[in-house]
Amino acid sequence: MTSRIRSANASATDDEVVDVVLVGGGIMSATLGALLSTLQPDWSIVLLERLGAPAGESSNAWCNAGTGHAGLCELNYMPDPGDPTRAADIGRQFGLSRQFWAALVESGATADSGAFVNATPHMDVVFGDRDIAYLRERFATLRQLPMFSGMEFTEDPETIREWAPLLVDGRDPAEPMAATRHPAGTDVDFGALTDTLVAAMANRGARVRTHHEVTSLSRADNGIWTVGGRDRSTRRRFRLRSRFVFVGAGGYALKLLQKARIPEVRGHAVFPLGAQFLRTDNPEVVGRHDVKVYGQAALGAPPMSVPHLDRRIVDGQPSLMFGPYATFSTKLLKHGRLRDLFTTIRFHNIAPLLAVGVQNLGLVRYLIGQLAASRTRKFRELTRFYPDADPADWELIQAGQRAQLIKPDRRKIGVLTFGTEIVTGADGTIAGLLGASPGASIAPPLMADLLEQCFPAEYPWWRPTLQRLMPDRG
């Protein structure tokens, strides 16, 4: 096999050129590392994580809702109830993710998937005639597709009580409501999954360096990247040279890609958003709710604000979470710095930033309302789902920090996006991930697409293995 990447030695030094550097120890870098170490076990791979362990940011179990996004209950993926395109596409991609995880388990590369994936039915619940009509049409549309054929719909409160009793107990029986349910939903502990994938790649020879914060990326004339930074535990500087770099650093991805000076991110900016959840571990409450229930976002609220009452299983222990409640900080990571946002501002992205602010006044008002909301008001939102909720059972926890992507646009100057996007340098030697949901759920097909883009010489040799790992891909 002819390859533009050559295998490197066992230990990385300043003079060594490694094959792949993965920046960030979250689910994306872990997935790409697991794929590459499977496809090309003779390559040298180094993963650099700024915290003391992988999955310390958005991939951590308590920094996200743990939903295996498959389009089953996410109403924000289908604003037009007659158009199932995005919901079906995400459902297909999540199916590929499950195939990949199952293949790793079958090969012995990872532990039993039951350690990070748990069967949890997915539901929607809506109230009022307008939203009931929407949900009814959405159900009729999705039921025509094979992957959604197991979905059920009801407007009967007693049926809803059988599916999720917390939604009905204590509610006015005269209030109109409707729900859909799909039994094939999942709860995913993305923190445990990330740890599993990192362990798999390390077992194949990849090196995992924690406390290593990347602060610079530069490319030499020969195409080799120099990755520089500091060891946060010793304060010593480090430098690595690599033929390929993937930036999976969450909210820090844009500023690192800016440091790399790739034109593909010119005009791009980020808008940071955090989230809080209410959580309970009360076994009497948790034991009566074994589903993930999504609702309809408030009028004028952004798509990622869809309220949901979720059963979570973390380290084998069940809990319930309700939220999200938006928070704001100029940090781009939960464990970041207050100056983070300002380090991403450039002359060329000021106009897109300002344009997005003007175009999204509803989002600004929503954020102000969320930041001003008292605990009492936040709890009142929970009782819309769970009328008999007891405040004494619930605690407010801080979840992860997102950096929503702003892209330049010829017509609108700048647009705020709510999806996940891979940015690839023109020569394929650097790539990065920007954006948020549903990224973690569809990491394997996303990373497989990245391999096809960035490694055209090697990809034909990898295709049979990728087909075995994800049989339905393509």
Side-chain angles (χ1 to χ4, degrees), residues 107-170:
S107 70
T110 65
D112 182 1
S113 61
F116 50 83
V117 178
N118 290 279
T120 307
H122 285 190
M123 282 183 61
D124 288 307
V125 64
V126 296
F127 309 95
D129 293 339
R130 186 191 67 175
D131 285 344
I132 289 174
Y134 161 83
L135 190 64
R136 188 185 300 116
E137 184 178 352
R138 178 183 185 271
F139 166 74
T141 301
L142 289 177
R143 273 294 298 269
Q144 299 176 35
L145 304 178
M147 74 175 70
F148 299 102
S149 61
M151 185 176 287
E152 303 171 78
F153 172 85
T154 186
E155 297 179 47
D156 175 26
E158 290 307 309
T159 302
I160 298 174
R161 188 194 304 275
E162 292 176 10
W163 293 349
L166 299 187
L167 302 180
V168 179
D169 291 354

Side-chain angles (χ1 to χ4, degrees), residues 60-62 64 115 118 187-189 192 279 312-319 321:
N60 179 272
W62 295 116
N64 58 73
N118 290 279
D187 174 75
V188 183
D189 182 341
R279 169 185 166 184
R312 298 299 325 276
I313 299 178
V314 179
D315 296 330
Q317 298 300 312
S319 303
M321 288 172 61

